[in-house]
Amino acid sequence: MNGTDREGGPGRGVNGTDREGGPGRGPSRADRDDGPHRADRDGAGRGSGPAAGALLIVGDVVTDIVARHRGPLAAGTDTAAAIRTLPGGAGANVACWAAHWGCAEVRLLGRVGADDVAWHERELEACGVRPLLVVDPQVPTGTVICLVDQGASAERTFLTDSGASLRLGPDDWSPALLDGVARLHLSGYLFFSEPSRALVSVALESARARGVPVSLDPASAGFLTELGVDRFLALAEGVDLLLPSRDEAVLLTGLPDPADAAAKLSRHVPLVVAKQGPDGALVARSGAVRAHVPAVPANPRDTTGAGDAFTGAFLAALLAGAEPEAAAAEGCRAGARAVERVGGRPAGARAR
């Protein structure tokens, strides 16, 4: 799970057997409820033409328990809430939004527990994503409890048990995963456990060897603080595109102004697109902010996954040939649509 305004083992290879619904991709794009804002439907944000190749996302797949309440929690007693169980995870959400926004082939490498692998695979396929899920025989799928205040801003707080996703490691990686891939995208949650940091290292090495560009979403200001800024930036060396939230950009630079923070980060990473929540996005290159893309008005119900939606739509538009500024506009459109839904995924994700 991810948002633009967030403050917040054993087993090898990709599981491809015993899936309910079979190992193939989900419904075609024409069969999905894509809505009128698809980048490939209205032409917005497109450039010279689509890139030849898939988007491979490596990241977390978790189960979200979303509790929507109104007002402060009542300590020591009951607080009424509407509660739903939904598929989630920052990496998985980005993949679903990228497919929803017109990316022709999206693949997701993640790690889940044995009990609910079939459900997660079905939900990813229903969104048009090809799941490459490693089944952990010992640890269950991660779970995130999302407490969403139903006030005007629909802000949320996360309680996170990352579960099997923390055990995605180098033994789960193969350079062959990059066959036919035009871009590799890494969820920042990979940086927050030792096995996953080792996977990041080998994945970056494989991508460099093949000339595949790599993007990264830092994912969590809270976990970034625990890891340490210097360590994170060292691990991210070689990434060509960074997609931080406002809080993450400020944390990574120590600068209080989001524009200054984005500009500073772009001296280290060729392209920085800093998500600003209700203030849109900043596009920075070569030490300067080149564009401020305005947000799209929305009536928020749940801000869970707004940043994931932005990232997925941005990457889809970029792979379709859009310039970064136009791709950021697509990201803002997707983020606006995401906050008007409950959960972190586009239409098609179903409660369990």
Side-chain angles (χ1 to χ4, degrees):
M1 171 165 303
N2 184 44
T4 61
D5 45 342
R6 176 166 59 238
E7 298 304 318
R12 310 180 39 119
V14 171
N15 178 62
T17 60
D18 298 327
R19 278 211 294 256
E20 294 185 31
R25 288 181 55 113
S28 69
R29 286 183 288 164
D31 293 334
R32 296 197 303 272
D33 176 19
D34 297 313
H37 300 300
R38 289 273 306 264
D40 61 339
R41 180 163 296 181
D42 63 10
R46 295 181 69 85
S48 58
L55 172 63
L56 172 63
I57 296 170
V58 183
D60 47 316
V61 180
V62 304
T63 300
D64 288 342
I65 300 174
V66 182
R68 299 174 67 233
H69 62 93
R70 187 172 296 278
L73 297 176
T77 186
D78 295 328
T79 299
I83 300 174
R84 298 176 68 188
T85 299
L86 296 164
N93 292 346
V94 168
C96 290
W97 280 100
H100 189 72
W101 222 255
C103 192
E105 184 178 358
V106 183
R107 310 171 191 171
L108 173 69
L109 175 65
R111 192 176 182 101
V112 297
D115 288 349
D116 52 10
V117 58
W119 178 60
H120 280 291
E121 287 179 328
R122 283 198 307 272
E123 291 302 310
L124 289 165
E125 288 169 346
C127 287
V129 176
R130 179 183 172 193
L132 308 173
L133 300 185
V134 181
V135 179
D136 194 306
Q138 297 180 348
V139 176
T141 302
T143 301
V144 176
I145 298 174
C146 319
L147 304 177
V148 182
D149 189 334
Q150 296 186 68
S153 64
E155 284 299 331
R156 69 271 190 271
T157 300
F158 298 142
L159 302 174
T160 301
D161 178 354
S162 297
S165 64
L166 288 179
R167 290 157 59 93
L168 190 68
D171 286 346
D172 301 322
W173 176 261
S174 166
L177 289 166
L178 292 175
D179 290 350
V181 168
R183 174 169 287 278
L184 171 65
H185 178 73
L186 304 175
S187 168
Y189 283 107
L190 296 170
F191 286 61
F192 306 135
S193 77
E194 193 56 47
S196 294
R197 285 192 290 269
L199 181 149
V200 167
S201 179
V202 298
L204 284 171
E205 182 179 351
S206 295
R208 278 193 295 268
R210 293 197 180 204
V212 175
V214 182
S215 50
L216 170 65
D217 188 327
S220 169
F223 286 154
L224 270 177
T225 300
E226 295 179 19
L227 178 67
V229 168
D230 291 342
R231 191 175 185 192
F232 176 87
L233 292 174
L235 289 165
E237 186 174 352
V239 166
D240 76 289
L241 166 59
L242 189 67
L243 294 132
S245 70
R246 180 193 344 236
D247 290 343
E248 292 154 5
V250 166
L251 176 62
L252 287 169
T253 60
L255 299 176
D257 182 78
D260 292 342
K264 182 175 180 179
L265 284 172
S266 72
R267 299 187 189 105
H268 304 282
V269 179
L271 176 62
V272 174
V273 180
K275 297 169 282 188
Q276 305 295 298
D279 295 322
L282 302 171
V283 179
R285 300 187 195 85
S286 304
V289 172
R290 306 297 179 177
H292 180 190
V293 179
V296 174
N299 296 312
R301 295 181 63 204
D302 176 7
T303 54
T304 299
D308 301 334
F310 179 103
T311 296
F314 177 90
L315 293 174
L318 198 68
L319 283 172
E323 293 298 321
E325 293 80 3
E330 291 298 313
C332 288
R333 293 172 67 185
R337 196 189 307 177
V339 301
E340 295 185 330
R341 295 180 48 78
V342 175
R345 302 225 180 140
R350 296 159 294 191
R352 186 169 63 176

